[in-house]
Amino acid sequence: MSHAVLLVEDDRAIATVISEALREEGFDVTTCESVAKRDDLVGARHFDVMLTDVMLEDGDGLASIGHVRELAPDMPVIVLSAQNTLDTAVRASDSHAFEYFPKPFDLDELTQAVRQAVANRPSVSAAGDEEASALPLIGRSPAMQSVFRMITRVLRNDLTVLVTGESGTGKELVAEAIHQLGARKTGPFVAVNMAAIPHDLLESELFGHERGAFTGAVSQQIGKFEQANGGTLFLDEIGDMPPDAQTRLLRALQSGRIRRVGGRQEIGVDVRIIAATNRDLAPMIEDGRFREDLFYRLNVVPMPLPPLRERREDIGALVKHFFGQAASEGLPRRQITDDAIAALAARRWPGNVRELRNVVFRLALLARDDVIDVDSVADTIGTEISTGSGAPDSGFSAAIDGWLAENGNSHGTLYHAVLASFEKPLFEHALRMTEGNQLRAAQLLGINRNTLRKRLGELDIAPEDFARRR
């Protein structure tokens, strides 16, 4: 007997692709395009699983999911959405969806999720009354969608999370999101930066101290663990923690109890731990600078954050968000052209999202015009800032020198020969960065789309070769 699937999707092309894939797997698929028709079908017959888009032709598919739960309380629901924001992912999680897939999704993963939903048939309850508030975690890139999905998986448990990523990628924002959207949101969120506290004071900062415990301890002090009781304790830059403090932290995590410095009484604490680091802990474990058993205690749910250079398609949304923040803080309200966004997207951003925010605030403050264009960007923040030793374009200069050493005798045609040789890898780089999207590649390069299309043909470059495989 084939299992019945209801697909609620108003994009006919997507509905056709999903329907055909599920029918090939032996499912009996019924499709509809609206909330009203969905409710009629669920009320009239039995379905083993429902797949639903969020924005439908007559309303929000998630906002009315409670009625579906009343009609079919045991039917698993899989949510599909092109609104790839953390808020949407959390709403899907709050609706007790079996799985959430941001568009575009992997069709094989979707069909596997349907098979699992039919096999498991978990019981579900009605959605909560409270809707998650939006948080400043922005991004529709595949890398950020993975982060959003992982966040939703840890909201209804107290598993310890280890957030890793380069400086400026937003590790504390992730910790705040997990706290504010999870079951501990009514409790305190306490953050402590291990790198900012002198090593000899770190244990006192974390666990507190009694009066007279050491020179200068003139009164009792409550530590971060006790301050975070009932909520979340965010341990930032955990890789900077000294060995002695690591031992006491491990003991506290294992027992759920702490002892103030100079104290005799053990105190029970109920905290969720979220740790973060921009360091690679593996070599630190090998040379004894970080305890391996503490790492395994912290790394229950690893959550890596992508650097900004791996999610350049999010830069436009981030820039507009930061301009809104700047205006709310009293800076002039600015607009920005697509070419200017493309120019910003082409930069390296070694400081990641934090650096981008600072640059946007600087543009809001110093730009002469209300509409910021490419020239405004160049005038305000200059050319690419060098990091490390040597000139930032030394590698490119070396490549030109190498090419000239082999081809420098092309008298009369040298200029055009150099352009032709470097144009093809440049276009291929732009297509690679934009996953074959010619419009975005042209914006990244700062040229007309028709010019790009013409040159791609002349250089025998196929954009589809760079499209991301779904």
Side-chain angles (χ1 to χ4, degrees):
M1 178 181 176
S2 62
H3 294 284
V5 176
L6 175 60
L7 173 61
V8 189
E9 172 61 71
D10 59 0
D11 187 316
R12 294 186 179 180
I14 294 177
T16 298
V17 170
I18 295 175
S19 298
E20 290 303 316
L22 293 178
R23 287 179 180 128
E24 287 181 4
E25 295 290 326
F27 293 103
D28 177 16
V29 183
T30 301
T31 63
C32 67
E33 301 178 352
S34 66
V35 172
K37 185 62 176 177
R38 175 202 70 186
D39 292 346
D40 289 343
L41 287 168
V42 174
R45 55 175 291 196
H46 168 82
F47 292 97
D48 294 290
V49 61
M50 181 178 81
L51 286 70
T52 181
D53 194 6
V54 175
M55 299 309 297
L56 300 167
E57 61 181 24
D58 62 343
D60 187 318
L62 272 181
S64 57
I65 203 71
H67 184 54
V68 174
R69 299 298 190 201
E70 294 174 0
L71 296 172
D74 296 331
M75 179 179 65
V77 175
I78 295 175
V79 176
L80 318 172
S81 177
Q83 290 188 315
N84 302 339
T85 63
L86 175 59
D87 185 63
T88 305
V90 171
R91 289 181 62 212
S93 178
D94 285 346
S95 73
H96 297 274
F98 181 83
E99 185 57 276
Y100 163 69
F101 285 94
K103 298 178 181 178
F105 46 78
D106 187 293
L107 197 56
D108 292 336
E109 291 184 7
L110 180 62
T111 55
Q112 181 181 7
V114 173
R115 288 194 297 268
Q116 292 172 343
V118 169
N120 294 340
R121 291 301 303 270
S123 61
V124 292
S125 58
D129 294 331
E130 293 183 8
E131 182 172 325
S133 60
L135 287 163
L137 281 170
I138 295 171
R140 296 176 180 268
S141 62
M144 285 306 294
Q145 292 309 302
S146 296
V147 174
F148 292 166
R149 291 179 70 184
M150 185 59 71
I151 288 174
T152 64
R153 291 177 186 272
V154 299
L155 295 182
R156 289 175 180 78
N157 55 66
D158 282 335
L159 295 177
T160 303
V161 178
L162 179 59
V163 187
T164 57
E166 297 177 6
S167 179
T169 49
K171 296 185 287 295
E172 185 165 354
L173 287 179
V174 169
E176 289 179 354
I178 294 172
H179 173 76
Q180 293 181 25
L181 300 172
R184 290 179 174 266
K185 60 186 175 183
T186 57
F189 176 83
V190 178
V192 53
N193 189 322
M194 302 298 179
I197 302 172
H199 285 184
D200 57 345
L201 296 179
L202 185 54
E203 290 189 37
S204 172
E205 190 74 16
L206 287 176
F207 307 113
H209 63 254
E210 298 291 352
R211 179 181 178 182
F214 50 84
T215 302
V218 296
S219 62
Q220 183 189 75
Q221 176 175 301
I222 302 300
K224 299 298 186 184
F225 265 88
E226 289 182 80
Q227 293 175 28
N229 197 36
T232 302
L233 178 60
F234 175 54
L235 304 175
D236 198 7
E237 304 303 347
I238 193 72
D240 291 277
M241 197 173 198
D244 290 346
Q246 291 179 31
T247 301
R248 288 201 64 183
L249 174 62
L250 177 63
R251 188 180 302 120
L253 296 181
Q254 290 173 334
S255 67
R257 306 182 69 81
I258 59 103
R259 181 182 295 173
R260 298 181 191 135
V261 177
R264 297 181 179 180
Q265 181 183 5
E266 287 197 337
I267 303 167
V269 288
D270 173 27
V271 297
R272 182 189 194 148
I273 299 294
I274 302 176
T277 181
N278 61 6
R279 295 191 176 196
D280 183 358
L281 296 181
M284 298 179 64
I285 293 172
E286 291 180 4
D287 60 22
R289 288 178 293 152
F290 198 85
R291 292 186 61 125
E292 185 174 18
D293 46 3
L294 177 58
F295 171 76
Y296 290 127
R297 177 68 65 170
L298 295 173
N299 196 42
V300 178
V301 181
M303 192 174 296
L305 295 189
L308 190 55
R309 62 181 176 275
E310 293 181 7
R311 45 178 296 223
R312 294 180 186 273
E313 57 266 54
D314 293 334
I315 287 179
L318 286 166
V319 167
K320 293 174 183 177
H321 172 75
F322 291 141
F323 272 130
Q325 278 192 345
S328 68
E329 295 185 19
L331 294 175
R333 185 169 296 277
R334 307 291 192 185
Q335 294 180 320
I336 187 167
T337 66
D338 290 342
D339 288 344
I341 289 177
L344 291 172
R347 296 170 71 92
R348 291 176 297 164
W349 301 113
N352 294 295
V353 178
R354 183 186 295 122
E355 181 188 4
L356 176 64
R357 181 185 184 277
N358 292 341
V359 164
V360 170
F361 272 60
R362 194 187 318 160
L363 285 168
L365 176 66
L366 300 179
R368 297 178 179 178
D369 301 316
D370 291 338
V371 178
I372 295 174
D373 57 16
V374 174
D375 292 335
S376 299
V377 171
D379 291 343
T380 304
I381 64 175
T383 56
E384 184 71 75
I385 300 173
S386 174
T387 58
S389 59
D393 59 348
S394 59
F396 186 70
S397 298
I400 294 178
D401 291 341
W403 188 92
L404 289 173
E406 295 182 7
N407 304 277
N409 295 324
S410 304
H411 296 295
T413 62
L414 183 59
Y415 173 77
H416 296 287
V418 171
L419 289 183
S421 294
F422 283 90
E423 190 177 27
K424 184 171 183 178
L426 177 63
F427 286 171
E428 289 175 340
H429 168 77
L431 290 169
R432 193 176 299 112
M433 294 300 300
T434 59
E435 299 178 351
N437 186 304
Q438 294 183 55
L439 177 59
R440 286 165 47 208
Q443 292 173 344
L444 177 62
L445 292 166
I447 64 175
N448 184 274
R449 183 182 181 183
N450 292 331
T451 301
L452 174 65
R453 184 183 293 112
K454 177 183 177 183
R455 293 300 293 148
L456 292 179
E458 293 171 348
L459 295 170
D460 195 25
I461 300 175
E464 57 269 18
D465 292 343
F466 299 87
R468 183 171 181 264
R469 301 296 181 237
R470 305 294 180 189

